[in-house]
Amino acid sequence: MTSAPRIDTQNWTLNSQAELPPSVLFGETELDLWPYRPRTVALLRRYARASVEVGRLPSLLGREFFRSRVTSYSMGSFEDVVIFVTDMEHTIEKLDAFDKKLVAMNVLEEYSVPEMSRLLASPQRTLERLLQDAIDQLSRILLADGLLERLPEVQENKQ
């Protein structure tokens, strides 16, 4: 009897990953990116405030009205604010349309997941997962573009 040829799945996985751009290779699982979620959300909130300071609505919202807390913070100079807003707009443009909508509703407009579930007529648990995936994707893009610094890696002690 002849047996089927054995496929080396580990080699195939490594070869397929080598073809992907570096921004996709980092953080293949949500476990790799979950520590960045609060920092990414904080950057999005800062972006929303900075956009209003510059005199424009955040690109995620278009012309829609949004409810948001406006607090004061300092950021070097007006030029720094404009550069930050422009960089964030270019980064956000890399997300797909539904991810943009989820991020805008939850982070910028401050809708809760149950409210989003009612408005989008989608299961709450699904939206929770998709929202986390969208934030992880944005974190991945921010890391690749250098707008978010990598956290130091923790080395485990093996005794």
Side-chain angles (χ1 to χ4, degrees):
M1 285 197 200
T2 59
S3 62
R6 185 171 173 265
I7 299 173
D8 187 4
T9 56
Q10 183 178 9
N11 189 26
W12 178 82
T13 303
L14 292 175
N15 286 339
S16 66
Q17 287 178 350
E19 297 168 7
L20 297 175
S23 63
V24 178
L25 291 177
F26 176 77
E28 283 295 322
T29 67
E30 67 180 50
L31 293 177
D32 295 335
L33 292 168
W34 72 265
Y36 295 98
R37 288 178 189 161
R39 295 173 64 199
T40 300
V41 169
L43 274 176
L44 284 166
R45 290 199 172 125
R46 175 180 259 190
Y47 160 69
R49 289 189 303 266
S51 294
V52 172
E53 280 184 10
V54 170
R56 54 198 293 183
L57 283 179
S59 65
L60 277 172
L61 300 175
R63 298 178 186 269
E64 300 172 13
F65 173 79
F66 64 100
R67 51 186 182 171
S68 176
R69 292 187 307 265
V70 178
T71 59
S72 61
Y73 69 97
S74 61
M75 183 186 251
S77 67
F78 181 75
E79 290 81 15
D80 293 337
V81 175
V82 171
I83 291 169
F84 172 71
V85 168
T86 305
D87 288 345
M88 284 299 291
E89 285 177 355
H90 291 302
T91 301
I92 290 167
E93 286 302 314
K94 294 177 184 176
L95 291 175
D96 66 33
F98 191 69
D99 286 348
K100 288 180 197 176
K101 185 173 195 154
L102 290 176
V103 168
M105 287 181 78
N106 185 258
V107 178
L108 303 181
E109 297 179 75
E110 297 180 357
Y111 283 104
S112 66
V113 175
E115 289 173 324
M116 291 169 52
S117 176
R118 278 193 309 271
L119 291 170
L120 297 174
S122 186
Q124 183 174 335
R125 184 65 188 129
T126 301
L127 285 180
E128 288 173 358
R129 181 181 49 81
L130 291 174
L131 177 63
Q132 297 304 320
D133 289 348
I135 292 173
D136 287 348
Q137 180 62 24
L138 187 58
S139 297
R140 190 177 287 118
I141 295 167
L142 288 167
L143 284 164
D145 290 350
L147 296 172
L148 191 62
E149 293 180 10
R150 293 187 192 272
L151 295 172
E153 299 204 15
V154 177
Q155 299 294 326
E156 292 184 24
N157 263 343
K158 295 182 182 180
Q159 295 179 352

